[in-house]
Amino acid sequence: MPHSGQSAASRDWWRTAAIYEVYVRSFADGDGDGIGDLAGVRARLPYLAELGVDAIWFAPWYPSPMADAGYDVADYRAIEPLFGSLDEAEQLIAEAHGLGIRIIIDIVPNHGSDQQQWFADALAGQAGSAERARYHFRPGRGAGGSVPPNNWTSEFGGTAWSRVSSTDGAPPAPEAPGGPGGRAAAGEPAEWYLHLFSPGQPDFNWAHPAVRAEFADVLRFWFDRGVDGFRIDSAALLAKDPSLADLDPGQAGGEHPYVDRDGVHGIYREWRRIADSYPGERVLIGEVWLPDAERLTRYLRPDELHSAFNFDFLCCAWDATRLREVIDVTLDSHARVGAPATWVLSNHDVVRHVTRYGRADTAFSMSDRRIGEPSDRELGTRRARAAALLTFSLPGAVYLYQGDELGLWEVEDIPDELLQDPFWERSGHTDRGRDGCRVPLPWSGKQPPFGFGPEGSVPWLPQPTQWKDLTAETESGDEGSMLELYRAALRLRHEEPAFASGEMRWLDSPADVLSYRRGDDITVVINLSAHAVGLPAHNGVLISSAPVVGGMLAPDCAAWLSTR
Ligand code: GLC
């Protein structure tokens, strides 16, 4: 019986859950085409049950032209054919539930794909048409309208506007190579449309009732199929200043023309009512990047989202003072709205933390990934082990990204011609983007594809040959491995009631050491100093990220102590 197996009715499961992100195209490839798929995931569900996760979050699994690896959704009610079918998704949901694992799926409401029917209709419609009103179409500025309607920039670089032509959307002439959409056809330059991400991701107009109705229906479509929740992509960006005024760089906290506008909350109140109308505690989890904890936790008021990712924690340097500050601010701000804190080390958008923690500067910023900066892998791995024990012992829910449990590092030498992330092209080849954390997982064997797909298949991104030492097979049963540390820590986290409900209290500790109690039974010590430190009084070491020798905890190591 997997220890994650709680009854479907268990209350507030999401407040303390360990949630594992599956990035489908890189998890496991069942059919050998080099791209991960649902068959691959289904075959590995027992692995996830054994790891001890409570839920899986799937990055988008919908049909997509993959302008942004699936975050450009062409159909919100189907499965990408490369990944499988809707039937298979339903089977997967049932099988996961059978193992006590809940299913959370990504929903991408800020923008769709330019290959979506709605967008084709918008292109075919004219300026001012009802079809265009579901997006943000505007005339350009300047002579001939050749200047974008405002100064907003795309997250991936360059302007956030693309211009359509008068013949876009017309049926393609037989000789035109552009295919449906006919974008290759020559026409007069016409309106511009807004895309805060790539041109393949037109932003929806959330002031339009049809957009709200459509997404409410999509939520129900998947809740009806048994999903336990949604991870809401770019959740703070949906509401736009209707005047689409230029951005003044100082604007924030409700004044910004598209980040965190107050109008966004009404959307999530409506979504919460939908989630609450289903049995079994269906949850909404926001991807909300905001510098201000108070603004972030507004999304977590009791009638809005259940939880949100803690990116301050993810970006925080491996530094005792700064970590303690982030932990305190997180706990305090979340407590004010009665929401659980969350702890996140990595995801499909950021440099893997083994690599970050091995750098001289261990802080992280999305705007400067510093790919290729020197990193001490051994040090990074030691800290990643300690960080796992830190995150798993803090009050709240934890998010794991596939491969964290194997200790994978960022792959920084993917050949240029294989890079697929839009950051690479849109930055004019200055930002190598996020492919390095999306390299297919190593499962078994001594050479690529390392069991990711059948022998002889070629993964969509090349795997480092050194990953032969980091396969799930190699690490299984090896006491000193990252995988066994994760398994043991997640098991203890489930077994010890103090982790779910014990109050957290900081203890006095030497400089650069974090030490706290959970309830009366457990004391946690994380040594971020350069010296070994003695442990406080205890009745046994429950787990440690490196052996405790002579009662001393080595630098960059962590231990959970029994104080029963
Ligand atoms: C989120 C996703 C990221 C994607 C972006 C646009 O930040 O995590 O991968 O590129 O939204 O959808």
Side-chain angles (χ1 to χ4, degrees):
M1 181 64 194
H3 52 83
S4 55
Q6 302 170 350
S7 85
S10 47
R11 292 248 325 124
D12 283 0
W13 64 271
W14 45 276
R15 288 184 173 272
T16 55
I19 301 176
Y20 182 99
E21 179 184 1
V22 165
Y23 192 75
V24 185
R25 60 171 37 238
S26 304
F27 186 71
D29 171 16
D31 64 8
D33 65 356
I35 295 174
D37 47 37
L38 299 191
V41 179
R42 288 173 66 194
R44 307 288 179 178
L45 285 175
Y47 167 86
L48 295 177
E50 193 184 347
L51 180 59
V53 301
D54 302 292
I56 302 171
W57 147 35
F58 281 92
W61 60 9
Y62 313 102
S64 166
M66 305 285 169
D68 180 20
Y71 282 94
D72 47 323
V73 178
D75 180 352
Y76 289 84
R77 296 177 184 79
I79 296 292
E80 162 61 40
L82 284 171
F83 295 165
S85 65
L86 187 56
D87 271 358
E88 256 179 306
E90 291 188 46
Q91 285 168 33
L92 189 160
I93 295 167
E95 288 161 3
H97 285 169
L99 291 166
I101 299 176
R102 290 181 167 84
I103 300 291
I104 290 161
I105 61 173
D106 227 298
I107 187 159
V108 189
N110 179 66
H111 43 267
S113 158
D114 66 347
Q115 301 300 308
Q116 203 184 354
Q117 188 56 46
W118 271 16
F119 196 70
D121 296 345
L123 289 180
Q126 290 308 302
S129 65
E131 288 77 15
R132 288 200 176 180
R134 296 185 294 213
Y135 297 93
H136 299 283
F137 276 85
R138 289 291 185 284
R141 296 188 289 192
S146 62
V147 179
N150 68 25
N151 69 353
W152 300 2
T153 53
S154 151
E155 298 289 321
F156 296 140
T159 172
W161 295 89
S162 285
R163 197 167 194 191
V164 300
S165 99
S166 56
T167 52
D168 283 353
E175 70 280 9
R183 299 255 227 129
E188 294 299 310
E191 286 196 311
W192 299 72
Y193 68 90
L194 175 70
H195 51 84
L196 291 180
F197 294 89
S198 77
Q201 296 166 290
D203 279 49
F204 290 118
N205 173 12
W206 272 88
H208 196 300
V211 171
R212 289 180 85 120
E214 167 70 359
F215 276 93
D217 193 67
V218 168
L219 294 180
R220 291 198 186 91
F221 178 90
W222 291 104
F223 278 146
D224 288 340
R225 277 159 187 77
V227 309
D228 300 283
F230 290 90
R231 176 266 188 191
I232 305 163
D233 186 70
S234 304
L237 304 184
L238 276 51
K240 314 282 191 302
D241 173 358
S243 73
L244 301 185
D246 272 348
L247 171 67
D248 153 4
Q251 288 168 315
E255 299 301 315
H256 192 285
Y258 59 86
V259 178
D260 186 34
R261 291 182 70 78
D262 294 338
V264 79
H265 296 282
I267 299 167
Y268 299 130
R269 292 204 180 94
E270 181 189 341
W271 286 23
R272 180 61 180 258
R273 287 194 293 275
I274 296 172
D276 285 350
S277 72
Y278 283 83
E281 288 203 287
R282 312 294 176 101
V283 300
L284 302 171
I285 303 160
E287 188 214 13
V288 184
W289 287 86
L290 290 178
D292 177 340
E294 191 279 325
R295 294 291 304 183
L296 169 73
T297 51
R298 285 181 189 217
Y299 290 75
L300 308 179
R301 291 176 288 198
D303 59 346
E304 295 192 41
L305 308 183
H306 293 76
S307 72
F309 299 95
N310 189 345
F311 294 121
D312 283 348
F313 183 79
L314 185 154
C315 294
C316 186
W318 184 249
D319 173 274
T321 310
R322 287 198 254 168
L323 279 168
R324 182 167 171 163
E325 227 170 75
V326 171
I327 292 167
D328 281 339
V329 169
T330 301
L331 292 173
D332 184 55
S333 57
H334 285 64
R336 286 168 200 265
V337 291
T342 68
W343 310 104
V344 190
L345 291 170
S346 277
N347 67 27
H348 67 280
D349 289 329
V350 306
V351 171
R352 283 195 178 269
H353 60 276
V354 163
T355 300
R356 295 188 334 249
Y357 287 160
R359 292 171 172 172
D361 175 0
T362 50
F364 179 71
S365 156
M366 275 294 262
S367 58
D368 185 9
R369 258 175 276 278
R370 296 184 277 137
I371 303 290
E373 183 171 305
S375 172
D376 176 342
R377 214 169 263 161
E378 198 187 309
L379 177 65
T381 303
R382 192 159 61 239
R383 290 175 171 169
R385 293 174 63 84
L389 294 190
L390 167 65
T391 53
F392 294 172
S393 63
L394 290 169
V398 291
Y399 286 84
L400 293 68
Y401 174 48
Q402 66 181 35
D404 286 358
E405 80 280 19
L406 301 174
L408 300 188
W409 61 78
E410 184 80 5
V411 181
E412 299 182 279
D413 57 358
I414 299 171
D416 292 1
E417 65 279 11
L418 296 180
L419 291 175
Q420 305 208 6
D421 189 17
F423 270 112
W424 175 237
E425 286 303 327
R426 301 264 314 170
S427 69
H429 296 182
T430 54
D431 181 346
R432 298 186 68 78
R434 301 162 294 179
D435 289 325
C437 66
R438 300 173 175 180
V439 172
L441 293 192
W443 290 95
S444 58
K446 293 287 165 222
Q447 64 237 344
F450 293 123
F452 169 69
E455 204 62 38
S457 61
V458 182
W460 70 281
L461 285 175
Q463 301 157 303
T465 50
Q466 305 100 301
W467 279 8
K468 68 178 182 354
D469 301 325
L470 297 180
T471 67
E473 181 185 58
T474 307
E475 294 196 27
S476 263
D478 171 358
E479 241 185 81
S481 72
M482 189 73 87
L483 180 58
E484 292 301 344
L485 179 81
Y486 267 63
R487 285 176 175 162
L490 287 170
R491 193 176 314 122
L492 275 166
R493 190 171 183 276
H494 267 281
E495 285 167 4
E496 292 286 344
F499 286 126
S501 55
E503 193 200 338
M504 176 183 166
R505 270 172 299 133
W506 290 108
L507 301 176
D508 288 340
S509 56
D512 297 324
V513 173
L514 296 176
S515 182
Y516 47 92
R517 285 289 268 265
R518 292 299 312 274
D520 290 329
D521 294 349
I522 291 169
T523 295
V524 176
V525 184
I526 326 277
N527 181 7
L528 292 98
S529 78
H531 315 280
V533 293
L535 292 173
H538 61 276
N539 306 317
V541 177
L542 295 169
I543 189 170
S544 57
S545 66
V548 171
V549 182
M552 301 295 281
L553 187 64
D556 293 309
C557 292
W560 295 355
L561 310 173
S562 169
T563 39
R564 235 185 285 275

